[in-house]
Amino acid sequence: MAEAMDRSTVLLAGGGTGGHLYPGIAVAEALRRIAPELHPVFLCTRKEIDRVILEPTGFEFVPQPVVPWKKSIGGTLRFAMGLRETWELDRRVIRERKPAAVLGLGGYAAGLAVRMAAGKKIPTALINPDVVPGAANKMLFKRVDAVCCQFDQTADYVDPSLRGKLKVTGCPIRSDIRTLPPRTEAAQRLGLDPRTHTLVVTGASLGAQTVNEAVLTMLGQITLRGWQILHLSGRDHAASVRAGYRELPAQAVVIDFTPAMADIWAVADLAISRSGASSCAELTACGVPSILLPYPFHKDMHQRANAQVLVDAGAAILVDDEKDRVSNAKRLQAVIEPLLYDADKRRAMSEAAKKLGKSEAAENVAQLIRDMAASSR
């Protein structure tokens, strides 16, 4: 702690999902390399997933009591209480640490710290990795100094007066994902046959029930020849997914959660995935052809907008999640069966994905933060 206090602090505010935390971790890793004079500290949430993701990194983190608002009397009371406690916590952290810069990672856990820092004239920036800015980010656009975007198309969703703040840096991904391990070694660690094609199924860090159900139902209708499945189920869904595979002839390995996504993408020949910003960033950086089922429960359908960028580039196929396992399985089967046995098509999709990828995104954002911190000093 003494060493940390001798260096300038950079606060990275956000959490609650891997999609918010992993870009922040990538930036913190880049700061370690290019700006060792800066000490990254995460202001995350109290969700278990935050501890699971952050603890192995060795980065300091401070859980905030803030919770998302839910439309009920109890939900409103919990939100108000968490907001008040988080305001007091963030004020104390900013007063004691005197951060040189604050980076918002998106979501409800980023807003208070970024807003408070901006009000104190501390340099602030946001990571906005989705095409369509989220509600929390939108409220902060006027207050921050810069907004780091993954896609050029984000400018279409931003007031013209604010477009000058947009920096198309890419969405930061961790350094291990940018340099994938050998397929044979990754397959051995995962319990897979490196000589067999691998279909990766993932609903991101928390898993996705409708994706899990669609894939299991679809696999009951087809016969896989020369393919094995690596299914990232999410911790809450692992038991039911494993039970589902016991009823199928498919060769499958089910993992509830892993931070070692480099191994996953090293063996992936095709992916069925949600289209969250981090998933899109990893798929494109690693050149993985994909079938994307955007999360269907967001009002702004921002994952669909992310997916459309990959589809337009020829890197992915979009299947709308209709929230019904039978309908989803039917639509999924129609696109996956020809793709499984068309190596040329998968190769073309892989090349298109690589052209979209911005593997240097973490360094781009870290350099921005370093420059901001230097100006504040």
Side-chain angles (χ1 to χ4, degrees), residues 22-99:
Y22 283 126
I25 291 170
V27 173
E29 289 175 343
L31 285 172
R32 272 178 174 168
R33 294 189 296 272
I34 71 172
E37 73 277 10
L38 299 177
H39 175 64
V41 177
F42 284 81
L43 286 172
C44 59
T45 78
R46 289 179 175 175
K47 282 189 174 182
E48 176 68 6
I49 191 70
D50 290 32
R51 184 193 63 77
V52 169
I53 290 174
L54 287 169
E55 224 168 45
T57 69
F59 290 115
E60 184 182 356
F61 61 94
V62 179
Q64 301 173 105
V66 65
V67 296
W69 177 74
K70 292 185 178 179
K71 195 175 181 180
S72 67
I73 295 175
T76 300
L77 289 173
R78 284 189 292 273
F79 173 75
M81 184 178 298
L83 205 64
R84 186 180 67 250
E85 292 176 359
T86 299
W87 182 268
E88 294 170 355
L89 171 68
D90 291 355
R91 184 173 59 180
R92 184 173 70 250
V93 169
I94 289 174
R95 183 179 67 248
E96 293 176 354
R97 296 301 185 100
K98 297 179 175 58

Side-chain angles (χ1 to χ4, degrees), residues 199 201 208-222 229 231 233 237-250 252-254 272 325-326 328-330 332-333:
L199 171 64
V201 180
Q209 183 172 343
T210 55
V211 173
N212 293 340
E213 291 175 347
V215 169
L216 290 171
T217 304
M218 181 267 296
L219 290 173
Q221 309 301 317
I222 67 174
I229 300 166
H231 195 133
S233 62
H237 313 293
S240 62
V241 170
R242 289 192 175 98
Y245 277 109
R246 286 195 288 270
E247 305 298 321
L248 297 171
V253 170
V254 178
I272 297 173
R325 70 161 66 210
V326 175
N328 284 345
K330 184 177 180 180
L332 194 55
Q333 181 180 348

Side-chain angles (χ1 to χ4, degrees), residues 4 33 136 267 339 361:
R33 294 189 296 272
V267 302
L339 195 54

